[in-house]
Amino acid sequence: MRNFSRGDVFAAACPSRQILQHVTSRWGGLVLIALREETLRFAQLRRRIDGISERMLAQTLQVLEGDGLILRKDYGEVPPRVDYTLTPAGREISARVFALSDWIEKNLPELLALTPDAAPQTVQ
Amino acid sequence: MRNFSRGDVFAAACPSRQILQHVTSRWGGLVLIALREETLRFAQLRRRIDGISERMLAQTLQVLEGDGLILRKDYGEVPPRVDYTLTPAGREISARVFALSDWIEKNLPELLALTPDAAPQTVQ
DNA sequence: CGGTATCCTTTGCGATACTG
DNA sequence: CAGTATCGCAAAGGATACCG
């Protein structure tokens, strides 16, 4: 297997592609954005991200933690208390994901004007 | 249904969430990045994006075209000649997706260092 | 390019061990 | 009893590939 010292998302086998995949996954990006400004607990994240199931949130958090982008802090209390914070790398990536979503949010009216045919396409 | 004059990706029903979904879908982002600098034909895109099937490329291009982010130009020739270019909105979004992937590519060594446990997580 | 088979993602339920 | 943070499992649904 090749050694990717710089990363090439166009190469299927490059780890950078996997990471890009994780941070742009259905829920990954939203989690990163939500944690952009503050540390949040599991239930807070769940409330903030409309539509995510508990299972998916737990799974997404694990993947992102596995990538070293978020830090999971377990207070070992009962009832359970756990919170999540971005690592420095996570903050860098989060900022960029946010730049993307923010542009889309701000330009939504213009974007919607581009789609006169309300085509309800579904991908991912 | 609410009227999203500004967009809120955290709201499941907001169109901005769908668009974000499309541009960060498994192949959507890669297509956008590939078209960032030049107009490309179908086969060129396919060769550049390692691992994409014809079917998925066609589908992805349709979705992005439906969102008004890329322009499909059919020259009506025989043999068929079609190429794809970013629209102004597509260029804006592409730049931001690229900023994300580029950061990941450039910092790949540091990112990989964060994952000593080669956890082969799979998401999306 | 369409149709189907397969794979993967996602969901929902149940369980856990306590506290207000 | 509701809330808290996960996890395993079974089932469903959507994405993707493999054909012809």
Side-chain angles (χ1 to χ4, degrees):
Chain A
M1 192 178 288
R2 289 168 52 200
N3 184 5
F4 301 94
S5 66
R6 199 270 182 188
D8 176 11
V9 289
F10 285 119
C14 181
S16 65
R17 175 119 144 208
Q18 264 82 274
I19 297 177
L20 182 64
Q21 212 68 205
H22 297 167
V23 306
T24 63
S25 69
R26 177 157 184 206
W27 304 112
L30 263 7
V31 167
L32 255 11
I33 297 173
L35 290 176
R36 196 171 55 95
E37 299 185 309
E38 36 173 350
T39 295
L40 291 174
R41 298 182 57 177
F42 187 90
Q44 295 179 303
L45 275 166
R46 175 135 156 71
R47 269 184 300 261
R48 179 160 257 173
I49 303 174
D50 187 30
I52 195 172
S53 69
E54 295 193 352
R55 198 75 178 77
M56 276 303 98
L57 179 54
Q59 210 164 294
T60 303
L61 287 168
Q62 279 178 20
V63 171
L64 262 18
E65 193 198 355
D67 285 341
L69 303 181
I70 68 182
L71 208 66
R72 180 192 129 101
K73 185 166 185 182
D74 187 337
Y75 293 84
E77 296 175 4
V78 172
R81 199 163 111 83
V82 181
D83 62 34
Y84 298 88
T85 317
L86 293 178
T87 62
R91 254 177 269 130
E92 294 290 330
I93 289 186
S94 174
R96 284 161 179 85
V97 177
F98 177 71
L100 175 62
S101 75
D102 191 51
W103 189 91
I104 294 176
E105 288 186 347
K106 284 186 181 142
N107 295 274
L108 187 55
E110 290 77 14
L111 287 170
L112 292 180
L114 298 174
T115 52
D117 52 326
Q121 54 268 328
T122 304
V123 143
Q124 179 177 225
Chain B
M1 191 179 284
R2 289 169 51 200
N3 185 4
F4 301 95
S5 65
R6 199 270 182 188
D8 176 11
V9 289
F10 285 120
C14 181
S16 65
R17 177 118 143 210
Q18 266 82 275
I19 296 178
L20 183 63
Q21 213 69 202
H22 296 166
V23 306
T24 62
S25 70
R26 178 157 182 205
W27 304 113
L30 263 8
V31 167
L32 255 11
I33 297 173
L35 290 176
R36 195 172 56 94
E37 299 184 309
E38 34 173 354
T39 295
L40 291 174
R41 299 181 57 174
F42 189 89
Q44 295 179 304
L45 275 167
R46 178 138 154 69
R47 255 173 272 134
R48 181 160 255 173
I49 303 172
D50 187 29
I52 194 172
S53 68
E54 293 193 356
R55 172 82 110 118
M56 281 300 100
L57 178 53
Q59 206 165 297
T60 304
L61 287 169
Q62 277 177 25
V63 171
L64 262 18
E65 193 200 353
D67 284 343
L69 302 180
I70 69 182
L71 208 66
R72 181 192 131 100
K73 184 165 184 184
D74 187 339
Y75 292 85
E77 295 174 7
V78 172
R81 199 163 110 80
V82 180
D83 63 33
Y84 299 87
T85 317
L86 294 178
T87 62
R91 256 178 269 131
E92 294 291 330
I93 290 185
S94 174
R96 285 160 178 87
V97 177
F98 177 71
L100 175 62
S101 75
D102 191 52
W103 189 91
I104 294 175
E105 286 186 348
K106 284 186 181 141
N107 295 274
L108 188 56
E110 290 77 16
L111 287 170
L112 292 179
L114 297 175
T115 51
D117 52 328
Q121 55 266 333
T122 304
V123 143
Q124 181 178 212

